[in-house]
Amino acid sequence: MNSPADEATQARMEAAHHTAALLLGLICTGPAAWGFQGRTMGRRAGNRWLRVNCTTKANAQRKPGEGIVGASTLVPDDVPRPQLHDVIDWPEGEYVYQAEVTDYVTHPVISPDRADLAHDPGLPDEWWSSLRRALSRLGQAEGVRTTVRPGWIERAFPQFLGIPAPERSSGSPAMLICTGAM
């Protein structure tokens, strides 16, 4: 579980989350869910989820199509996901905050402690079929953000996979041609 880097970050994010809840007329309950280094914090608000994220003013320039706002416009409607209901942004001191209100998801987490499945979760075939359809549709959506930079790929492939990094194509920077055996 992620947590804030220090008590000052925790207090600042809790205050920002409280501010967002007041501005949006929400009453939050339950424990906080923290994101990477305490830069995001979410809590349940009835049948909604209120997530607040923070960045410095220098990094606040959001590109069109990024984040949950971008996903709500770029991802096809038939890809299941929590619906975005509201978004607010506000500056405070050296930071800029964004609050997003989405549906609260009641489904249990399949693999809460790791990114992969260590054992068969016992889900029905229809669940897997729905996942394949959603991933296929998601793969057709246009993206605007580079999530894996070339420098990381050049380090990670040899370190974690024991093979050279793939060569980049001359087309899209995100498109890779794998040359190593996997």
Side-chain angles (χ1 to χ4, degrees):
M1 180 176 190
N2 292 312
S3 61
D6 52 54
E7 289 180 19
T9 300
Q10 180 173 340
R12 182 175 48 76
M13 288 300 294
E14 287 172 345
H17 197 278
H18 181 73
T19 296
L22 288 174
L23 291 171
L24 293 162
L26 298 172
I27 298 172
C28 296
T29 59
W34 292 95
F36 181 70
Q37 293 185 341
R39 292 182 183 266
T40 64
M41 179 188 158
R43 287 184 70 200
R44 185 176 183 168
N47 64 349
R48 303 281 191 249
W49 181 258
L50 174 60
R51 176 183 178 266
V52 174
N53 65 64
C54 169
T55 189
T56 61
K57 284 186 178 177
N59 294 328
Q61 188 69 353
R62 188 177 334 121
K63 296 176 186 164
E66 285 189 346
I68 195 165
V69 175
S72 69
T73 60
L74 295 175
V75 174
D77 290 338
D78 61 343
V79 174
R81 64 188 180 280
Q83 181 181 346
L84 177 64
H85 295 279
D86 208 345
V87 176
I88 59 170
D89 296 287
W90 73 98
E92 195 171 296
E94 64 185 274
Y95 299 101
V96 175
Y97 298 91
Q98 180 180 61
E100 306 153 346
V101 181
T102 60
D103 293 329
Y104 178 73
V105 177
T106 58
H107 301 293
V109 176
I110 295 171
S111 185
D113 299 322
R114 33 188 310 164
D116 61 344
L117 294 176
H119 56 83
D120 182 356
L123 298 166
D125 290 342
E126 178 54 35
W127 188 93
W128 293 106
S129 295
S130 294
L131 176 62
R132 282 191 288 282
R133 279 191 303 275
L135 290 175
S136 175
R137 291 290 291 141
L138 185 60
Q140 297 169 18
E142 291 186 35
V144 297
R145 185 174 186 177
T146 303
T147 56
V148 180
R149 291 182 172 68
W152 182 87
I153 291 172
E154 290 168 8
R155 288 188 311 274
F157 267 69
Q159 180 181 354
F160 298 112
L161 301 174
I163 61 172
E167 296 177 21
R168 283 198 299 162
S169 73
S170 59
S172 166
M175 189 177 295
L176 302 173
I177 299 173
C178 291
T179 59
M182 304 275 295

